[in-house]
Amino acid sequence: MAVGRHSQEKGFDRLLSIWKDIENVRTDWELLIIGEGNLYEHNQNVAKILGLKTVRFLPFQKNVQPYYQKASLYLMTSLYEALPMVLIEAKMCGCICISYNCKTGPAEIIKDGEDGFLIPEGNQNLFIEKILNLMNDRILMERMGEKAMVNVKDYSPGKILPKWDTLIKDIYNNCRK
């Protein structure tokens, strides 16, 4: 599964290219892409041109949690990110995240090889290999999914809010000087 705005930086065209190779090996899995944007129709056309049969597009969904809960993998092919909340949301539901290690974001959230995989930027073959490894190893998938739910607790309100509180107080105090 993937969630995001259909725009250039999200790299859904790269994801569709990856999925073409996955679909050549495994047709018992489906790729669900949720979101809207100026490239929505373009990405649907790319899927048609590639002859993809196991890709489904859904427009923006107010509540994506039920989709995360049904998914096993979350795939992110963004060219760049800030703090990709989708990775946190996916991990909360036990999804294993596989992402290109773009400049910022994924490496802060994914513990490579433990609860997901960080793929060197543009290494499509390794991205495909990691997806297929997980698809073919249910035990590994269960272990990594469980670890994702444990590790995502680092982003729980109980851990994050005190850090924000301290940061805001420090900024406030420094501005008053």
Side-chain angles (χ1 to χ4, degrees), residues 4 22 35 44 50 59 68 76-77 107 121 124 129 139 165 171:
I22 296 297
Q44 287 180 315
L50 292 173
Y68 287 127
M76 194 169 85
T77 52
E121 177 56 41
Q124 183 170 322
E129 177 185 318
I139 294 170
D165 188 49
I171 292 170

Side-chain angles (χ1 to χ4, degrees), residues 66-115:
Y67 298 99
Y68 287 127
Q69 289 172 334
K70 290 180 184 175
S72 299
L73 305 176
Y74 186 87
L75 309 175
M76 194 169 85
T77 52
S78 297
L79 299 170
Y80 56 89
E81 287 286 340
L83 178 67
M85 293 298 294
V86 292
L87 295 179
I88 295 170
E89 294 168 357
K91 285 177 68 171
M92 289 174 85
C93 294
C95 290
I96 302 157
C97 299
I98 303 174
S99 175
Y100 279 131
N101 192 11
C102 56
K103 282 190 177 181
T104 59
E108 302 299 320
I109 298 167
I110 297 171
K111 294 186 179 177
D112 189 38
E114 184 177 318
D115 63 14

Side-chain angles (χ1 to χ4, degrees), residues 46-64:
V46 169
K48 286 178 188 170
I49 290 166
L50 292 173
L52 296 173
K53 304 214 183 324
T54 60
V55 174
R56 188 165 52 112
F57 292 89
L58 287 179
F60 170 81
Q61 302 292 304
K62 200 169 196 174
N63 180 11
V64 294

Side-chain angles (χ1 to χ4, degrees), residues 29-42:
W29 283 65
E30 177 183 73
L31 172 62
L32 175 64
I33 301 176
I34 300 174
E36 294 177 353
N38 63 337
L39 295 179
Y40 185 80
E41 289 179 11
H42 169 79

